[in-house]
Amino acid sequence: RRAALNGSFTYQMAIEKGRQNYLSITVLTEDDGKTLKISSADEVLYCETLDHNKVCQEEKDKYTIEIPIPEKVIAKAGNIKAYYKEYSVISVTFEGVDRAESARIVENIYVLL
């Protein structure tokens, strides 16, 4: 998925309070040179121009980036109930920079503990 020109998209992500949480995203190597901005609770979590050479040494079609979620973002989590269980969640927004199209997110987006 990608954010189109002037656009963005947002997911609600379950997190676990009291632990370090990481956002794990997979991007395409062919999107090197495109910028991806990820934010939550008025905090920018990630804003970089993709370059797979900074992340992995080998040539791959795609690669994964793990982004720490700051405690101040986790502290602002809301709660939802799903499948008879309550979850702490944050809204995570993905977009390009300067109204440009974003790099693409492929496969799944995870929160890791």
Coordinates of all heavy atoms in Angstrom, one line a residue, residues 15-21 41 43 45 68-77 90:
I15 N -0.7 -2.2 20.7 CA 0.6 -2.1 21.4 C 0.5 -2.7 22.8 O -0.6 -3.0 23.3 CB 1.2 -0.7 21.4 CG1 0.1 0.3 22.1 CG2 1.4 -0.2 20.0 CD1 0.3 0.5 23.5
E16 N 1.6 -2.9 23.4 CA 1.6 -3.3 24.8 C 2.3 -2.3 25.7 O 3.5 -2.0 25.6 CB 2.3 -4.7 25.0 CG 2.1 -5.3 26.3 CD 2.6 -6.7 26.4 OE1 2.5 -7.5 25.4 OE2 3.2 -7.0 27.5
K17 N 1.5 -1.7 26.6 CA 2.0 -0.7 27.5 C 3.0 -1.3 28.4 O 2.9 -2.5 28.8 CB 0.9 0.0 28.3 CG 0.0 0.9 27.4 CD -1.0 1.6 28.2 CE -1.8 2.6 27.4 NZ -2.7 3.3 28.1
G18 N 4.1 -0.5 28.8 CA 5.0 -1.0 29.8 C 6.2 -1.8 29.2 O 7.0 -2.3 29.9
R19 N 6.2 -1.9 27.8 CA 7.3 -2.6 27.1 C 7.7 -1.8 25.9 O 7.0 -0.9 25.5 CB 6.7 -3.9 26.6 CG 6.4 -4.9 27.7 CD 6.1 -6.3 27.2 NE 7.2 -6.9 26.6 CZ 7.2 -8.1 26.0 NH1 6.1 -8.8 26.0 NH2 8.3 -8.6 25.4
Q20 N 8.9 -2.0 25.5 CA 9.4 -1.4 24.2 C 8.6 -2.0 23.1 O 8.7 -3.2 22.9 CB 10.9 -1.5 24.1 CG 11.4 -0.9 22.8 CD 11.1 0.6 22.7 OE1 11.6 1.4 23.5 NE2 10.3 1.0 21.7
N21 N 8.0 -1.2 22.2 CA 7.3 -1.7 21.1 C 8.0 -1.2 19.8 O 8.6 -0.1 19.8 CB 5.9 -1.1 21.0 CG 5.0 -1.7 22.1 OD1 4.1 -2.5 21.9 ND2 5.2 -1.3 23.4
A41 N 0.3 10.0 17.3 CA 0.1 10.9 18.4 C 1.0 12.2 18.3 O 1.6 12.6 19.2 CB 0.5 10.2 19.7
E43 N 3.7 12.7 16.8 CA 5.1 12.5 16.9 C 5.5 11.8 15.6 O 4.9 10.8 15.2 CB 5.5 11.6 18.1 CG 5.2 12.2 19.4 CD 6.2 13.3 19.8 OE1 7.3 13.3 19.3 OE2 5.8 14.2 20.6
L45 N 7.6 9.2 13.9 CA 8.3 8.0 14.2 C 9.5 7.7 13.2 O 10.5 7.2 13.6 CB 7.4 6.8 14.3 CG 6.2 6.9 15.1 CD1 5.3 5.6 15.0 CD2 6.5 7.2 16.6
P68 N 11.5 2.0 16.5 CA 11.1 2.0 17.9 C 9.9 3.0 18.1 O 9.9 4.1 17.5 CB 12.3 2.4 18.7 CG 13.2 3.0 17.7 CD 12.9 2.5 16.4
I69 N 8.9 2.6 18.9 CA 7.8 3.5 19.2 C 8.1 4.1 20.6 O 8.2 3.4 21.6 CB 6.5 2.7 19.2 CG1 6.2 2.1 17.9 CG2 5.3 3.7 19.6 CD1 5.0 1.1 17.8
P70 N 8.3 5.4 20.6 CA 8.6 6.1 21.9 C 7.5 5.9 23.0 O 6.3 5.8 22.7 CB 8.7 7.6 21.5 CG 8.8 7.6 20.0 CD 8.1 6.4 19.5
E71 N 8.0 5.9 24.2 CA 7.1 5.7 25.4 C 6.0 6.8 25.4 O 4.9 6.6 25.7 CB 7.9 5.7 26.7 CG 7.0 5.6 27.9 CD 6.1 4.3 27.9 OE1 6.6 3.3 27.5 OE2 5.0 4.5 28.4
K72 N 6.4 8.1 25.0 CA 5.4 9.1 25.0 C 4.2 8.9 24.0 O 3.1 9.3 24.2 CB 6.0 10.5 24.7 CG 6.7 10.7 23.4 CD 7.4 12.0 23.4 CE 8.4 12.1 22.3 NZ 9.1 13.4 22.3
V73 N 4.5 8.1 22.9 CA 3.4 7.7 22.0 C 2.6 6.6 22.6 O 1.4 6.6 22.6 CB 4.0 7.3 20.6 CG1 2.9 6.7 19.8 CG2 4.7 8.5 20.0
I74 N 3.3 5.6 23.2 CA 2.6 4.5 23.9 C 1.7 5.0 25.0 O 0.6 4.5 25.2 CB 3.6 3.5 24.4 CG1 4.3 2.8 23.2 CG2 2.9 2.4 25.2 CD1 5.5 2.0 23.5
A75 N 2.1 6.0 25.7 CA 1.4 6.6 26.8 C 0.0 7.2 26.4 O -0.9 7.3 27.1 CB 2.2 7.6 27.6
K76 N 0.0 7.6 25.1 CA -1.3 8.2 24.6 C -2.2 7.2 23.9 O -3.2 7.5 23.3 CB -0.9 9.3 23.5 CG -0.1 10.4 24.1 CD 0.2 11.4 23.1 CE 1.0 12.6 23.6 NZ 1.4 13.5 22.6
A77 N -1.9 5.9 24.1 CA -2.7 4.8 23.5 C -4.2 4.9 24.0 O -4.4 5.2 25.2 CB -2.1 3.5 23.7
I90 N -2.7 2.4 19.1 CA -2.3 3.8 18.6 C -2.7 3.9 17.1 O -2.7 2.9 16.4 CB -0.8 4.0 18.8 CG1 0.1 3.0 18.1 CG2 -0.4 4.1 20.3 CD1 1.6 3.3 18.1

